[in-house]
Amino acid sequence: MSKDWPLWEVFIRSRQGLDHKHVGSLHAPDARMAMENARDVYTRRQEGVSIWVVESKNIHASNPDEAAQFYDPAEDKVYRHPTFYNVPDDIEHM
Amino acid sequence: MTEQEIFDQKIDADVRIEPKDWMPEAYRKTLIRQISQHAHSEYVGMLPEANWITRAPTLRRKATLLAKVQDEAGHGLYLYSAMETLGMSRQQSLDDLHSGKAKYSSIFNYPTLTWADIGTIGWLVDGAAILNQVPLCRTSYGPYARAMVRVCKEESFHQRQGFEIMMALAQGTAEQKEMAQDAINRWWWPTLMMFGPKDSESGNSELSMRWRIKRFSNDELRQKFVDMMVPQAEFLGLKVPDEKLQWNAEKNGHDFGEIDWEEFWRVVKGHGQCNKQRLDARRKAHEDGAWVRDAAMAYAEKRAQREATKKGA
């Protein structure tokens, strides 16, 4: 009976200087094959210059059901935004 | 093509260098020095401002100042992370700060004596920091550039809140206006020093420009800063404490007086008003926080053990 291949999340840097961005996932027996598969699936048209693969079980995601409480601390802090402060329009470079 | 040639080609073509790319050892070292200095500055920069959190004049000002100090901690974190991609550990870097081996911006070795100093730091000091930092969003090392994009976005509120404080004081009572003037009198020259030594005496500059870590020279940025700030001071009705300051139509910029370079080097070398106090405060915070770090680690271990037992059962 064959074992299931683990699941991998794939992140691609489309151009030097940009962040790696999550593009999707795939199954593969190990990191090396996951990398090659990611290349074959996600960069067929040269969409990337760098690939990260991370085994999905190593990704810890926040719980959407708890989003309300989780992000609550930032909700009432409008003063973290520049528009909260009064600066006359004719002041330049600000 | 050699690795060096590939690297040079990337730099010339404005292609960012990323952590796994080959880079000259001197480039790596320069970046570690600059990014860690920058991170330490954000970190130590919390101290002069924190000094006023409990004494902010209104709840609005207090909330703002707290948010600003929180941002500085965050900025330190983004930068330490960028530094770690170069193979320098966080612990080593903090040890270097605490031992006095690593430097941070000298501006934070000046004391915050009055509430107007908080306004001045936001307006002048953060204004100078922004001028330094905006070009760094295009610096040649990818992780540093990306960290700076985040920092610059958040920094805008810092400068505006500073200007707002200064405006309130400058338009307030005679005493308040005097307090604002006193603050600019003390902070103007140290702020000009933030751009570093004169170009003719800046040892690291040339290579940093060649590698496109830096994109403008110290003197260029200092000139830009003066030209930007003079009209703002005028708007506030505050006097820039420089007798030699005047508009020069020919160069389309201001002429200004000479910085006291002896003071600059004295503070860099550790003999400013607050160098000792700042480092002592940093060390104490680190040592006093040891039990928190240990407790969090012990808690994580306990939780992992509990999970393992649950699975085993």
Side-chain angles (χ1 to χ4, degrees):
Chain A
M1 164 83 196
S2 67
K3 249 171 70 180
D4 278 344
W5 291 355
L7 185 65
W8 302 78
E9 302 298 325
V10 180
F11 299 81
I12 295 202
R13 187 201 302 289
S14 57
R15 188 158 63 74
Q16 293 276 101
L18 299 182
D19 290 307
H20 285 82
K21 203 173 155 208
H22 185 244
V23 291
S25 57
L26 50 76
H27 287 274
D30 66 14
R32 169 125 194 206
M33 282 187 257
M35 186 74 78
E36 287 163 358
N37 292 356
R39 175 202 58 196
D40 293 343
V41 178
Y42 290 105
T43 64
R44 286 197 305 281
R45 291 172 187 77
Q46 294 184 297
E47 287 94 337
V49 295
S50 168
I51 301 176
W52 286 350
V53 290
V54 182
E55 212 176 326
S56 306
K57 69 174 186 198
N58 289 323
I59 302 248
H60 301 267
S62 60
N63 182 351
D65 298 338
E66 291 166 6
Q69 306 103 286
F70 196 65
Y71 298 108
D72 170 72
E75 238 167 50
D76 56 354
K77 297 185 176 57
V78 282
Y79 49 83
R80 284 178 177 165
H81 298 273
T83 45
F84 182 73
Y85 301 91
N86 298 316
V87 171
D89 292 339
D90 46 346
I91 293 293
E92 286 180 348
H93 307 291
M94 195 151 338
Chain B
M1 245 191 321
T2 66
E3 282 170 325
Q4 179 73 52
E5 283 165 350
I6 296 173
F7 173 84
D8 289 341
Q9 215 172 54
K10 276 190 206 155
I11 294 284
D12 292 340
D14 256 337
V15 172
R16 298 281 172 275
I17 307 300
E18 296 291 349
K20 297 218 158 189
D21 296 344
W22 183 91
M23 60 187 88
E25 219 22 57
Y27 177 82
R28 181 189 301 274
K29 272 200 184 138
T30 300
L31 276 170
I32 289 177
R33 197 192 58 240
Q34 178 169 337
I35 301 174
S36 63
Q37 263 182 27
H38 197 159
H40 298 330
S41 301
E42 301 283 354
Y43 215 44
V44 175
M46 288 191 280
L47 297 170
E49 299 197 287
N51 182 33
W52 280 91
I53 289 175
T54 54
R55 290 174 289 159
T58 65
L59 190 56
R60 183 182 191 271
R61 296 284 191 229
K62 192 204 278 266
T64 296
L65 189 53
L66 256 175
K68 182 170 189 294
V69 172
Q70 285 175 332
D71 273 3
E72 311 299 0
H75 295 175
L77 182 64
Y78 307 155
L79 287 159
Y80 283 125
S81 307
M83 175 202 74
E84 284 180 285
T85 64
L86 291 157
M88 174 73 161
S89 81
R90 179 92 51 113
Q91 191 54 55
Q92 181 62 53
S93 170
L94 286 178
D95 287 348
D96 288 350
L97 171 66
H98 296 151
S99 73
K101 188 179 160 209
K103 300 277 180 238
Y104 54 88
S105 177
S106 278
I107 194 74
F108 302 118
N109 290 319
Y110 290 83
T112 42
L113 303 178
T114 73
W115 173 250
D117 290 24
I118 298 303
T120 308
I121 288 183
W123 169 49
L124 276 190
V125 174
D126 288 331
I130 290 170
L131 264 186
N132 261 327
Q133 289 173 343
V134 166
L136 287 174
C137 296
R138 294 184 299 124
T139 193
S140 58
Y141 186 58
Y144 191 22
R146 291 191 288 275
M148 290 320 298
V149 170
R150 236 168 220 279
V151 169
C152 285
K153 214 167 124 194
E154 296 176 0
E155 201 78 46
S156 148
F157 118 60
H158 297 186
Q159 201 192 6
R160 290 174 67 95
Q161 66 86 34
F163 192 81
E164 203 190 68
I165 293 175
M166 293 312 277
M167 209 160 58
L169 293 174
Q171 294 168 0
T173 65
E175 261 176 313
Q176 285 174 317
K177 192 166 177 187
E178 200 180 313
M179 193 194 274
Q181 182 62 53
D182 168 64
I184 182 174
N185 288 351
R186 283 181 289 110
W187 288 92
W188 177 258
W189 290 104
T191 306
L192 290 193
M193 295 176 197
M194 285 174 69
F195 297 97
K198 273 191 274 198
D199 291 351
S200 52
E201 280 159 35
S202 176
N204 304 316
S205 272
E206 207 176 313
L207 259 180
S208 287
M209 298 276 273
R210 163 73 193 94
W211 284 328
R212 299 202 182 168
I213 297 174
K214 279 176 78 158
R215 292 187 175 256
F216 297 98
S217 79
N218 298 352
D219 288 338
E220 281 175 307
L221 288 172
R222 196 166 7 241
Q223 180 69 51
K224 244 190 200 177
F225 177 76
V226 172
D227 294 338
M228 189 172 107
M229 283 304 171
V230 169
Q232 294 184 10
E234 264 165 25
F235 176 91
L236 291 169
L238 298 173
K239 194 177 168 308
V240 172
D242 181 353
E243 294 306 324
K244 295 205 174 125
L245 184 78
Q246 62 174 6
W247 179 253
N248 179 339
E250 209 171 299
K251 76 168 184 186
N252 198 28
H254 292 82
D255 290 330
F256 53 98
E258 186 73 6
I259 287 171
D260 179 353
W261 292 109
E262 248 173 65
E263 174 179 333
F264 173 81
W265 290 113
R266 194 166 60 237
V267 183
V268 168
K269 287 180 179 142
H271 308 295
Q273 293 178 61
C274 298
N275 295 58
K276 183 173 180 318
Q277 192 185 333
R278 300 293 184 234
L279 270 193
D280 286 349
R282 269 283 18 115
R283 278 192 217 110
K284 182 172 186 307
H286 191 71
E287 282 158 20
D288 289 356
W291 73 270
V292 179
R293 297 191 293 277
D294 291 344
M297 194 55 108
Y299 180 68
E301 276 161 17
K302 201 164 110 185
R303 188 153 56 179
Q305 234 166 33
R306 219 181 275 150
E307 297 278 318
T309 325
K310 228 193 288 174
K311 268 185 199 155

